[in-house]
Amino acid sequence: MPPPTLNKHQNRRHINKYLRTLIVLITTFIKTVTKAGIIILFLFAIQLLIVKITQQSQSFMASTWQRLTLLQQELPTENSLPSPLLDRHLTDTWAGARSEGRSHEGIDIFAPRGTPIAATTQGIVSKVGNNRLGGRVVMVIGPGGASHYYAHLEDYADITPNDWVDAGDIIGYVGDSGNAKGTPTHVHYGIYINGSAVNPYPLLSKSK
């Protein structure tokens, strides 16, 4: 006996049923994949955040340890520091009269524009930026907590705050920025101990 045949209406109902079932399956699959994707993205973002926090914590801890180590070291003494500009004549311009009734809190060392400026000591870079008088400046915290100030730079070396530098590392280049604009190019070098300026000239080693 031949199998019963389905009329067009019955075929349509079967096809619709299969289609609905297929749509439900596809929708369920998409929802599952979407939820899984969101969870994966969330976990990935959490991982990146943990890595960033860990790196920042490690950097902070390293910086703090370096600062504590520097504070325990001796302050610079007479003739103990190399010049920031090697083979350049040093003149004691400390306390010279300056504009606005100021006195000179450092010494000026003259050299052609773009001459590399070397750190006089190891330490942590505390500032790379601008101010009204110094123009482009770099500040390094060295042994004993002394601040070493380099001003009137033409440009900076590849350094950022919290970087560690060693004596002799290049921190910038000679210029005439700030209130030195139009004067012979030079670096203003100053030293501050406990917030007070001290004459750097006696502390610098003099070329023979």
Side-chain angles (χ1 to χ4, degrees), residues 93 102 139 184 197:
T93 57
R102 297 175 298 110
M139 184 86 81

Side-chain angles (χ1 to χ4, degrees), residues 4-190:
T5 59
L6 298 175
N7 58 38
K8 292 182 180 180
H9 180 69
Q10 290 175 319
N11 279 336
R12 190 176 295 111
R13 284 198 313 181
H14 280 288
I15 292 172
N16 289 340
K17 181 179 179 181
Y18 294 144
L19 287 175
R20 286 196 297 271
T21 303
L22 182 60
I23 290 172
V24 169
L25 290 174
I26 292 173
T27 303
T28 303
F29 175 77
I30 291 174
K31 288 181 178 179
T32 303
V33 170
T34 301
K35 288 180 181 179
I38 291 173
I39 292 172
I40 291 171
L41 288 174
F42 177 74
L43 293 175
F44 182 69
I46 291 294
Q47 183 180 10
L48 289 178
L49 182 61
I50 292 173
V51 169
K52 186 174 182 179
I53 292 173
T54 301
Q55 290 174 340
Q56 289 177 342
S57 298
Q58 290 175 341
S59 176
F60 175 77
M61 292 296 291
S63 177
T64 301
W65 176 254
Q66 289 170 337
R67 287 177 185 271
L68 290 174
T69 301
L70 287 170
L71 288 174
Q72 294 172 358
Q73 296 176 3
E74 296 293 327
L75 288 165
T77 56
E78 189 171 340
N79 294 317
S80 66
L81 299 175
S83 172
L85 298 178
L86 296 179
D87 302 323
R88 290 287 162 181
H89 178 70
L90 299 180
T91 301
D92 189 355
T93 57
W94 169 262
R98 290 296 185 268
S99 62
E100 303 175 8
R102 297 175 298 110
S103 60
H104 198 214
E105 295 185 343
I107 66 170
D108 293 334
I109 310 172
F110 295 88
R113 188 183 303 276
T115 300
I117 302 168
T120 59
T121 179
Q122 66 177 2
I124 298 172
V125 177
S126 62
K127 179 179 176 65
V128 179
N130 288 268
N131 65 37
R132 183 176 64 88
L133 297 176
R136 297 182 184 91
V137 303
V138 170
M139 184 86 81
V140 176
I141 306 300
S147 297
H148 299 257
Y149 177 68
Y150 309 82
H152 307 313
L153 278 57
E154 176 74 11
D155 201 359
Y156 311 108
D158 185 17
I159 57 172
T160 57
N162 294 321
D163 281 353
W164 176 268
V165 294
D166 290 310
D169 286 352
I170 303 305
I171 53 94
Y173 303 90
V174 169
D176 62 350
S177 59
N179 68 350
K181 199 67 179 176
T183 67
T185 54
H186 63 279
V187 60
H188 168 95
Y189 176 60

